[in-house]
mmCIF file of all heavy atoms in Angstrom:
data_model
loop_
_atom_site.group_PDB
_atom_site.id
_atom_site.type_symbol
_atom_site.label_atom_id
_atom_site.label_comp_id
_atom_site.label_asym_id
_atom_site.label_seq_id
_atom_site.Cartn_x
_atom_site.Cartn_y
_atom_site.Cartn_z
ATOM 1 N N GLU A 1 156.452 50.371 116.260
ATOM 2 C CA GLU A 1 155.415 49.941 115.278
ATOM 3 C C GLU A 1 154.332 49.121 115.995
ATOM 4 O O GLU A 1 153.147 49.299 115.721
ATOM 5 C CB GLU A 1 156.080 49.091 114.183
ATOM 6 C CG GLU A 1 155.218 48.864 112.958
ATOM 7 C CD GLU A 1 155.074 50.036 112.041
ATOM 8 O OE1 GLU A 1 155.805 51.038 112.235
ATOM 9 O OE2 GLU A 1 154.253 49.973 111.086
ATOM 10 N N PHE A 2 154.716 48.236 116.887
ATOM 11 C CA PHE A 2 153.744 47.455 117.645
ATOM 12 C C PHE A 2 152.904 48.336 118.573
ATOM 13 O O PHE A 2 151.721 48.114 118.768
ATOM 14 C CB PHE A 2 154.377 46.325 118.405
ATOM 15 C CG PHE A 2 154.416 45.018 117.660
ATOM 16 C CD1 PHE A 2 155.605 44.420 117.322
ATOM 17 C CD2 PHE A 2 153.223 44.382 117.344
ATOM 18 C CE1 PHE A 2 155.636 43.236 116.644
ATOM 19 C CE2 PHE A 2 153.253 43.178 116.638
ATOM 20 C CZ PHE A 2 154.458 42.603 116.312
ATOM 21 N N ARG A 3 153.550 49.361 119.149
ATOM 22 C CA ARG A 3 152.791 50.275 119.987
ATOM 23 C C ARG A 3 151.767 51.014 119.171
ATOM 24 O O ARG A 3 150.688 51.335 119.687
ATOM 25 C CB ARG A 3 153.785 51.250 120.684
ATOM 26 C CG ARG A 3 154.582 50.629 121.826
ATOM 27 C CD ARG A 3 155.571 51.593 122.393
ATOM 28 N NE ARG A 3 156.270 51.071 123.564
ATOM 29 C CZ ARG A 3 157.289 51.698 124.190
ATOM 30 N NH1 ARG A 3 157.717 52.862 123.717
ATOM 31 N NH2 ARG A 3 157.876 51.134 125.244
ATOM 32 N N ASP A 4 152.057 51.291 117.927
ATOM 33 C CA ASP A 4 151.072 51.953 117.037
ATOM 34 C C ASP A 4 149.843 51.052 116.818
ATOM 35 O O ASP A 4 148.743 51.554 116.509
ATOM 36 C CB ASP A 4 151.695 52.327 115.722
ATOM 37 C CG ASP A 4 152.641 53.514 115.812
ATOM 38 O OD1 ASP A 4 152.573 54.241 116.820
ATOM 39 O OD2 ASP A 4 153.457 53.689 114.877
ATOM 40 N N TYR A 5 150.037 49.751 116.915
ATOM 41 C CA TYR A 5 148.917 48.796 116.848
ATOM 42 C C TYR A 5 148.185 48.630 118.183
ATOM 43 O O TYR A 5 147.262 47.849 118.290
ATOM 44 C CB TYR A 5 149.415 47.411 116.425
ATOM 45 C CG TYR A 5 149.632 47.234 114.926
ATOM 46 C CD1 TYR A 5 150.923 47.400 114.399
ATOM 47 C CD2 TYR A 5 148.601 46.878 114.107
ATOM 48 C CE1 TYR A 5 151.142 47.218 113.029
ATOM 49 C CE2 TYR A 5 148.806 46.689 112.719
ATOM 50 C CZ TYR A 5 150.097 46.867 112.209
ATOM 51 O OH TYR A 5 150.319 46.666 110.852
ATOM 52 N N ASN A 6 148.628 49.409 119.180
ATOM 53 C CA ASN A 6 148.075 49.320 120.547
ATOM 54 C C ASN A 6 148.353 47.964 121.181
ATOM 55 O O ASN A 6 147.567 47.458 122.004
ATOM 56 C CB ASN A 6 146.588 49.649 120.582
ATOM 57 C CG ASN A 6 146.312 51.102 120.334
ATOM 58 O OD1 ASN A 6 147.043 51.983 120.783
ATOM 59 N ND2 ASN A 6 145.246 51.384 119.586
ATOM 60 N N ALA A 7 149.478 47.351 120.796
ATOM 61 C CA ALA A 7 149.916 46.114 121.448
ATOM 62 C C ALA A 7 150.751 46.496 122.669
ATOM 63 O O ALA A 7 151.320 47.589 122.750
ATOM 64 C CB ALA A 7 150.700 45.252 120.478
ATOM 65 N N HIS A 8 150.814 45.577 123.643
ATOM 66 C CA HIS A 8 151.647 45.748 124.840
ATOM 67 C C HIS A 8 152.995 45.079 124.549
ATOM 68 O O HIS A 8 153.054 43.839 124.406
ATOM 69 C CB HIS A 8 150.976 45.148 126.048
ATOM 70 C CG HIS A 8 149.613 45.723 126.321
ATOM 71 N ND1 HIS A 8 149.402 46.956 126.842
ATOM 72 C CD2 HIS A 8 148.363 45.206 126.133
ATOM 73 C CE1 HIS A 8 148.111 47.211 126.964
ATOM 74 N NE2 HIS A 8 147.432 46.166 126.549
ATOM 75 N N VAL A 9 154.065 45.849 124.553
ATOM 76 C CA VAL A 9 155.371 45.315 124.152
ATOM 77 C C VAL A 9 156.295 45.269 125.362
ATOM 78 O O VAL A 9 156.500 46.262 126.058
ATOM 79 C CB VAL A 9 155.995 46.154 123.061
ATOM 80 C CG1 VAL A 9 157.324 45.552 122.587
ATOM 81 C CG2 VAL A 9 155.051 46.377 121.880
ATOM 82 N N ASP A 10 156.869 44.088 125.585
ATOM 83 C CA ASP A 10 157.936 43.903 126.573
ATOM 84 C C ASP A 10 159.241 43.678 125.822
ATOM 85 O O ASP A 10 159.269 42.989 124.795
ATOM 86 C CB ASP A 10 157.700 42.684 127.480
ATOM 87 C CG ASP A 10 156.674 43.011 128.581
ATOM 88 O OD1 ASP A 10 156.320 44.200 128.773
ATOM 89 O OD2 ASP A 10 156.239 42.063 129.283
ATOM 90 N N VAL A 11 160.308 44.248 126.354
ATOM 91 C CA VAL A 11 161.642 44.050 125.775
ATOM 92 C C VAL A 11 162.525 43.377 126.825
ATOM 93 O O VAL A 11 162.586 43.833 127.977
ATOM 94 C CB VAL A 11 162.284 45.388 125.324
ATOM 95 C CG1 VAL A 11 163.713 45.158 124.848
ATOM 96 C CG2 VAL A 11 161.455 46.053 124.268
ATOM 97 N N TYR A 12 163.162 42.271 126.422
ATOM 98 C CA TYR A 12 164.059 41.601 127.326
ATOM 99 C C TYR A 12 165.443 41.542 126.717
ATOM 100 O O TYR A 12 165.618 41.063 125.610
ATOM 101 C CB TYR A 12 163.551 40.171 127.611
ATOM 102 C CG TYR A 12 164.493 39.321 128.431
ATOM 103 C CD1 TYR A 12 164.703 39.626 129.769
ATOM 104 C CD2 TYR A 12 165.165 38.250 127.907
ATOM 105 C CE1 TYR A 12 165.559 38.872 130.549
ATOM 106 C CE2 TYR A 12 166.019 37.445 128.667
ATOM 107 C CZ TYR A 12 166.201 37.803 129.987
ATOM 108 O OH TYR A 12 167.071 37.027 130.780
ATOM 109 N N ASP A 13 166.420 42.073 127.450
ATOM 110 C CA ASP A 13 167.810 42.050 126.949
ATOM 111 C C ASP A 13 168.745 42.014 128.145
ATOM 112 O O ASP A 13 168.884 43.019 128.875
ATOM 113 C CB ASP A 13 168.111 43.263 126.050
ATOM 114 C CG ASP A 13 169.399 43.129 125.333
ATOM 115 O OD1 ASP A 13 170.381 42.590 125.922
ATOM 116 O OD2 ASP A 13 169.500 43.551 124.161
ATOM 117 N N PRO A 14 169.405 40.893 128.401
ATOM 118 C CA PRO A 14 170.296 40.787 129.559
ATOM 119 C C PRO A 14 171.561 41.635 129.471
ATOM 120 O O PRO A 14 172.296 41.751 130.429
ATOM 121 C CB PRO A 14 170.633 39.297 129.595
ATOM 122 C CG PRO A 14 170.445 38.837 128.183
ATOM 123 C CD PRO A 14 169.335 39.652 127.619
ATOM 124 N N TRP A 15 171.809 42.213 128.297
ATOM 125 C CA TRP A 15 173.036 42.998 128.112
ATOM 126 C C TRP A 15 172.868 44.483 128.388
ATOM 127 O O TRP A 15 173.851 45.194 128.623
ATOM 128 C CB TRP A 15 173.536 42.837 126.676
ATOM 129 C CG TRP A 15 174.188 41.500 126.430
ATOM 130 C CD1 TRP A 15 173.564 40.348 126.088
ATOM 131 C CD2 TRP A 15 175.582 41.197 126.481
ATOM 132 N NE1 TRP A 15 174.485 39.313 125.940
ATOM 133 C CE2 TRP A 15 175.736 39.811 126.196
ATOM 134 C CE3 TRP A 15 176.722 41.949 126.809
ATOM 135 C CZ2 TRP A 15 176.982 39.179 126.176
ATOM 136 C CZ3 TRP A 15 177.972 41.310 126.775
ATOM 137 C CH2 TRP A 15 178.064 39.955 126.474
ATOM 138 N N VAL A 16 171.661 45.001 128.346
ATOM 139 C CA VAL A 16 171.502 46.468 128.400
ATOM 140 C C VAL A 16 171.435 46.985 129.809
ATOM 141 O O VAL A 16 171.054 46.303 130.756
ATOM 142 C CB VAL A 16 170.251 46.919 127.620
ATOM 143 C CG1 VAL A 16 170.285 46.388 126.206
ATOM 144 C CG2 VAL A 16 168.974 46.507 128.314
ATOM 145 N N ASP A 17 171.786 48.257 129.921
ATOM 146 C CA ASP A 17 171.575 49.011 131.182
ATOM 147 C C ASP A 17 170.192 49.599 131.126
ATOM 148 O O ASP A 17 169.869 50.425 130.266
ATOM 149 C CB ASP A 17 172.626 50.132 131.266
ATOM 150 C CG ASP A 17 172.504 50.968 132.519
ATOM 151 O OD1 ASP A 17 171.452 50.882 133.210
ATOM 152 O OD2 ASP A 17 173.428 51.762 132.828
ATOM 153 N N PRO A 18 169.286 49.183 132.010
ATOM 154 C CA PRO A 18 167.905 49.635 131.969
ATOM 155 C C PRO A 18 167.787 51.174 132.005
ATOM 156 O O PRO A 18 166.897 51.738 131.365
ATOM 157 C CB PRO A 18 167.254 49.015 133.196
ATOM 158 C CG PRO A 18 168.086 47.789 133.476
ATOM 159 C CD PRO A 18 169.477 48.175 133.102
ATOM 160 N N ARG A 19 168.668 51.812 132.731
ATOM 161 C CA ARG A 19 168.631 53.280 132.820
ATOM 162 C C ARG A 19 168.901 53.899 131.447
ATOM 163 O O ARG A 19 168.257 54.906 131.074
ATOM 164 C CB ARG A 19 169.643 53.794 133.835
ATOM 165 C CG ARG A 19 169.346 53.382 135.270
ATOM 166 C CD ARG A 19 170.522 53.687 136.176
ATOM 167 N NE ARG A 19 171.709 52.925 135.789
ATOM 168 C CZ ARG A 19 172.877 53.009 136.410
ATOM 169 N NH1 ARG A 19 173.009 53.829 137.429
ATOM 170 N NH2 ARG A 19 173.921 52.264 136.001
ATOM 171 N N GLU A 20 169.852 53.357 130.715
ATOM 172 C CA GLU A 20 170.151 53.871 129.397
ATOM 173 C C GLU A 20 168.970 53.634 128.446
ATOM 174 O O GLU A 20 168.668 54.536 127.617
ATOM 175 C CB GLU A 20 171.427 53.227 128.834
ATOM 176 C CG GLU A 20 171.903 53.840 127.509
ATOM 177 C CD GLU A 20 173.180 53.221 126.984
ATOM 178 O OE1 GLU A 20 173.711 52.294 127.636
ATOM 179 O OE2 GLU A 20 173.620 53.666 125.905
ATOM 180 N N ALA A 21 168.337 52.475 128.512
ATOM 181 C CA ALA A 21 167.208 52.174 127.651
ATOM 182 C C ALA A 21 166.058 53.147 127.926
ATOM 183 O O ALA A 21 165.381 53.596 126.977
ATOM 184 C CB ALA A 21 166.727 50.733 127.872
ATOM 185 N N ARG A 22 165.836 53.458 129.189
ATOM 186 C CA ARG A 22 164.786 54.427 129.541
ATOM 187 C C ARG A 22 165.141 55.811 129.009
ATOM 188 O O ARG A 22 164.276 56.493 128.452
ATOM 189 C CB ARG A 22 164.600 54.457 131.082
ATOM 190 C CG ARG A 22 163.877 53.311 131.648
ATOM 191 C CD ARG A 22 163.479 53.602 133.086
ATOM 192 N NE ARG A 22 164.620 53.817 133.966
ATOM 193 C CZ ARG A 22 165.262 52.884 134.654
ATOM 194 N NH1 ARG A 22 164.881 51.606 134.570
ATOM 195 N NH2 ARG A 22 166.293 53.152 135.445
ATOM 196 N N HIS A 23 166.360 56.226 129.204
ATOM 197 C CA HIS A 23 166.769 57.545 128.833
ATOM 198 C C HIS A 23 166.774 57.760 127.310
ATOM 199 O O HIS A 23 166.295 58.779 126.834
ATOM 200 C CB HIS A 23 168.200 57.828 129.366
ATOM 201 C CG HIS A 23 168.721 59.186 129.019
ATOM 202 N ND1 HIS A 23 169.545 59.415 127.923
ATOM 203 C CD2 HIS A 23 168.528 60.430 129.600
ATOM 204 C CE1 HIS A 23 169.836 60.696 127.850
ATOM 205 N NE2 HIS A 23 169.243 61.319 128.847
ATOM 206 N N GLU A 24 167.308 56.773 126.586
ATOM 207 C CA GLU A 24 167.449 56.920 125.154
ATOM 208 C C GLU A 24 166.175 56.661 124.342
ATOM 209 O O GLU A 24 165.899 57.320 123.345
ATOM 210 C CB GLU A 24 168.581 56.028 124.643
ATOM 211 C CG GLU A 24 169.956 56.361 125.174
ATOM 212 C CD GLU A 24 170.454 57.703 124.699
ATOM 213 O OE1 GLU A 24 170.051 58.121 123.588
ATOM 214 O OE2 GLU A 24 171.240 58.342 125.418
ATOM 215 N N TYR A 25 165.403 55.678 124.786
ATOM 216 C CA TYR A 25 164.265 55.209 123.983
ATOM 217 C C TYR A 25 162.931 55.116 124.704
ATOM 218 O O TYR A 25 161.959 54.618 124.114
ATOM 219 C CB TYR A 25 164.618 53.843 123.368
ATOM 220 C CG TYR A 25 165.871 53.872 122.504
ATOM 221 C CD1 TYR A 25 167.050 53.265 122.930
ATOM 222 C CD2 TYR A 25 165.885 54.562 121.295
ATOM 223 C CE1 TYR A 25 168.199 53.293 122.162
ATOM 224 C CE2 TYR A 25 167.030 54.589 120.513
ATOM 225 C CZ TYR A 25 168.160 53.966 120.968
ATOM 226 O OH TYR A 25 169.324 53.977 120.219
ATOM 227 N N ASP A 26 162.899 55.518 125.969
ATOM 228 C CA ASP A 26 161.686 55.399 126.747
ATOM 229 C C ASP A 26 161.174 53.948 126.792
ATOM 230 O O ASP A 26 160.012 53.688 126.670
ATOM 231 C CB ASP A 26 160.585 56.336 126.206
ATOM 232 C CG ASP A 26 159.375 56.451 127.131
ATOM 233 O OD1 ASP A 26 159.573 56.287 128.378
ATOM 234 O OD2 ASP A 26 158.276 56.681 126.645
ATOM 235 N N ILE A 27 162.111 53.015 126.918
ATOM 236 C CA ILE A 27 161.786 51.604 126.994
ATOM 237 C C ILE A 27 162.252 51.096 128.353
ATOM 238 O O ILE A 27 163.402 51.316 128.780
ATOM 239 C CB ILE A 27 162.490 50.821 125.863
ATOM 240 C CG1 ILE A 27 161.851 51.165 124.523
ATOM 241 C CG2 ILE A 27 162.404 49.289 126.119
ATOM 242 C CD1 ILE A 27 162.543 50.524 123.310
ATOM 243 N N GLU A 28 161.378 50.381 129.038
ATOM 244 C CA GLU A 28 161.642 49.797 130.345
ATOM 245 C C GLU A 28 161.839 48.301 130.152
ATOM 246 O O GLU A 28 160.819 47.565 130.123
ATOM 247 C CB GLU A 28 160.551 50.087 131.337
ATOM 248 C CG GLU A 28 160.830 49.624 132.753
ATOM 249 C CD GLU A 28 161.825 50.485 133.477
ATOM 250 O OE1 GLU A 28 161.657 51.733 133.441
ATOM 251 O OE2 GLU A 28 162.758 49.956 134.073
ATOM 252 N N PRO A 29 163.041 47.785 130.005
ATOM 253 C CA PRO A 29 163.221 46.350 129.785
ATOM 254 C C PRO A 29 162.702 45.548 130.992
ATOM 255 O O PRO A 29 162.837 45.960 132.143
ATOM 256 C CB PRO A 29 164.751 46.213 129.609
ATOM 257 C CG PRO A 29 165.259 47.593 129.306
ATOM 258 C CD PRO A 29 164.337 48.517 130.053
ATOM 259 N N VAL A 30 162.182 44.386 130.700
ATOM 260 C CA VAL A 30 161.753 43.477 131.784
ATOM 261 C C VAL A 30 162.952 42.711 132.302
ATOM 262 O O VAL A 30 163.864 42.384 131.533
ATOM 263 C CB VAL A 30 160.640 42.530 131.311
ATOM 264 C CG1 VAL A 30 159.405 43.327 130.907
ATOM 265 C CG2 VAL A 30 161.126 41.643 130.163
ATOM 266 N N ALA A 31 162.940 42.422 133.581
ATOM 267 C CA ALA A 31 164.066 41.745 134.206
ATOM 268 C C ALA A 31 164.034 40.241 133.976
ATOM 269 O O ALA A 31 165.091 39.573 134.007
ATOM 270 C CB ALA A 31 164.088 42.049 135.686
ATOM 271 N N GLU A 32 162.833 39.696 133.796
ATOM 272 C CA GLU A 32 162.695 38.240 133.572
ATOM 273 C C GLU A 32 161.463 37.988 132.714
ATOM 274 O O GLU A 32 160.570 38.845 132.608
ATOM 275 C CB GLU A 32 162.640 37.490 134.881
ATOM 276 C CG GLU A 32 161.495 37.928 135.794
ATOM 277 C CD GLU A 32 161.520 37.266 137.147
ATOM 278 O OE1 GLU A 32 162.597 36.734 137.556
ATOM 279 O OE2 GLU A 32 160.458 37.260 137.793
ATOM 280 N N LEU A 33 161.412 36.800 132.122
ATOM 281 C CA LEU A 33 160.315 36.479 131.238
ATOM 282 C C LEU A 33 159.193 35.783 132.034
ATOM 283 O O LEU A 33 159.453 34.977 132.954
ATOM 284 C CB LEU A 33 160.798 35.539 130.136
ATOM 285 C CG LEU A 33 161.882 36.091 129.223
ATOM 286 C CD1 LEU A 33 162.254 35.087 128.157
ATOM 287 C CD2 LEU A 33 161.407 37.363 128.566
ATOM 288 N N LYS A 34 157.956 36.101 131.651
ATOM 289 C CA LYS A 34 156.792 35.475 132.266
ATOM 290 C C LYS A 34 156.424 34.248 131.477
ATOM 291 O O LYS A 34 156.222 34.322 130.272
ATOM 292 C CB LYS A 34 155.622 36.477 132.271
ATOM 293 C CG LYS A 34 155.904 37.774 133.011
ATOM 294 C CD LYS A 34 154.759 38.749 132.818
ATOM 295 C CE LYS A 34 155.046 40.116 133.438
ATOM 296 N NZ LYS A 34 153.959 41.080 133.198
ATOM 297 N N PRO A 35 156.349 33.098 132.099
ATOM 298 C CA PRO A 35 156.017 31.876 131.330
ATOM 299 C C PRO A 35 154.566 31.869 130.831
ATOM 300 O O PRO A 35 153.659 32.319 131.536
ATOM 301 C CB PRO A 35 156.220 30.766 132.359
ATOM 302 C CG PRO A 35 156.134 31.425 133.725
ATOM 303 C CD PRO A 35 156.622 32.821 133.538
ATOM 304 N N GLY A 36 154.377 31.447 129.599
ATOM 305 C CA GLY A 36 153.054 31.349 129.011
ATOM 306 C C GLY A 36 152.271 32.622 128.905
ATOM 307 O O GLY A 36 151.051 32.628 128.955
ATOM 308 N N TYR A 37 152.985 33.743 128.690
ATOM 309 C CA TYR A 37 152.350 35.048 128.789
ATOM 310 C C TYR A 37 152.148 35.747 127.442
ATOM 311 O O TYR A 37 151.192 36.473 127.246
ATOM 312 C CB TYR A 37 153.217 35.942 129.696
ATOM 313 C CG TYR A 37 152.665 37.331 129.927
ATOM 314 C CD1 TYR A 37 151.618 37.530 130.790
ATOM 315 C CD2 TYR A 37 153.265 38.427 129.310
ATOM 316 C CE1 TYR A 37 151.132 38.801 131.067
ATOM 317 C CE2 TYR A 37 152.799 39.714 129.543
ATOM 318 C CZ TYR A 37 151.732 39.895 130.422
ATOM 319 O OH TYR A 37 151.287 41.175 130.650
ATOM 320 N N TYR A 38 152.985 35.494 126.443
ATOM 321 C CA TYR A 38 153.018 36.336 125.256
ATOM 322 C C TYR A 38 152.308 35.683 124.063
ATOM 323 O O TYR A 38 152.300 34.487 123.873
ATOM 324 C CB TYR A 38 154.485 36.625 124.885
ATOM 325 C CG TYR A 38 155.220 37.388 125.949
ATOM 326 C CD1 TYR A 38 156.072 36.788 126.836
ATOM 327 C CD2 TYR A 38 154.991 38.769 126.084
ATOM 328 C CE1 TYR A 38 156.719 37.481 127.859
ATOM 329 C CE2 TYR A 38 155.635 39.481 127.099
ATOM 330 C CZ TYR A 38 156.500 38.838 127.973
ATOM 331 O OH TYR A 38 157.135 39.540 128.949
ATOM 332 N N ASP A 39 151.730 36.614 123.232
ATOM 333 C CA ASP A 39 151.050 36.193 122.016
ATOM 334 C C ASP A 39 151.999 36.109 120.827
ATOM 335 O O ASP A 39 151.784 35.367 119.870
ATOM 336 C CB ASP A 39 149.932 37.184 121.653
ATOM 337 C CG ASP A 39 148.861 37.263 122.736
ATOM 338 O OD1 ASP A 39 148.126 36.255 122.890
ATOM 339 O OD2 ASP A 39 148.761 38.294 123.435
ATOM 340 N N ALA A 40 153.101 36.861 120.881
ATOM 341 C CA ALA A 40 154.069 36.842 119.806
ATOM 342 C C ALA A 40 155.440 37.146 120.409
ATOM 343 O O ALA A 40 155.567 37.972 121.324
ATOM 344 C CB ALA A 40 153.744 37.857 118.711
ATOM 345 N N MET A 41 156.475 36.484 119.854
ATOM 346 C CA MET A 41 157.829 36.695 120.323
ATOM 347 C C MET A 41 158.726 36.897 119.096
ATOM 348 O O MET A 41 158.681 36.143 118.151
ATOM 349 C CB MET A 41 158.301 35.498 121.138
ATOM 350 C CG MET A 41 157.462 35.295 122.406
ATOM 351 S SD MET A 41 157.584 33.586 123.056
ATOM 352 C CE MET A 41 156.766 32.679 121.783
ATOM 353 N N ILE A 42 159.557 37.954 119.177
ATOM 354 C CA ILE A 42 160.438 38.277 118.055
ATOM 355 C C ILE A 42 161.868 38.202 118.535
ATOM 356 O O ILE A 42 162.285 38.948 119.460
ATOM 357 C CB ILE A 42 160.148 39.691 117.513
ATOM 358 C CG1 ILE A 42 158.676 39.767 117.044
ATOM 359 C CG2 ILE A 42 161.081 40.023 116.373
ATOM 360 C CD1 ILE A 42 158.211 41.145 116.781
ATOM 361 N N LEU A 43 162.632 37.344 117.929
ATOM 362 C CA LEU A 43 164.061 37.226 118.257
ATOM 363 C C LEU A 43 164.821 38.250 117.423
ATOM 364 O O LEU A 43 165.078 38.029 116.253
ATOM 365 C CB LEU A 43 164.525 35.789 117.930
ATOM 366 C CG LEU A 43 165.396 35.085 118.954
ATOM 367 C CD1 LEU A 43 165.568 33.629 118.552
ATOM 368 C CD2 LEU A 43 166.713 35.768 119.078
#
């Protein structure tokens, strides 16, 4: 939904296998968070 708004979306999840996320959902999880970088954060 956010991609439809042309927003840039990062996903962070320490539990997931990045390869599975890429394969199943075309999502590349970030390995670490960038300080002071995001406009919105959703828990």
Side-chain angles (χ1 to χ4, degrees):
E1 193 77 8
F2 266 118
R3 285 177 175 174
D4 287 343
Y5 279 96
N6 289 322
H8 303 286
V9 185
D10 281 350
V11 176
Y12 175 67
D13 192 322
W15 284 85
V16 305
D17 181 346
R19 294 169 298 180
E20 187 179 0
R22 285 194 298 270
H23 179 265
E24 295 295 331
Y25 301 110
D26 192 28
I27 291 175
E28 186 74 48
V30 298
E32 58 185 20
L33 300 180
K34 303 173 184 176
Y37 182 76
Y38 298 100
D39 298 291
M41 297 159 292
I42 301 167
L43 226 171

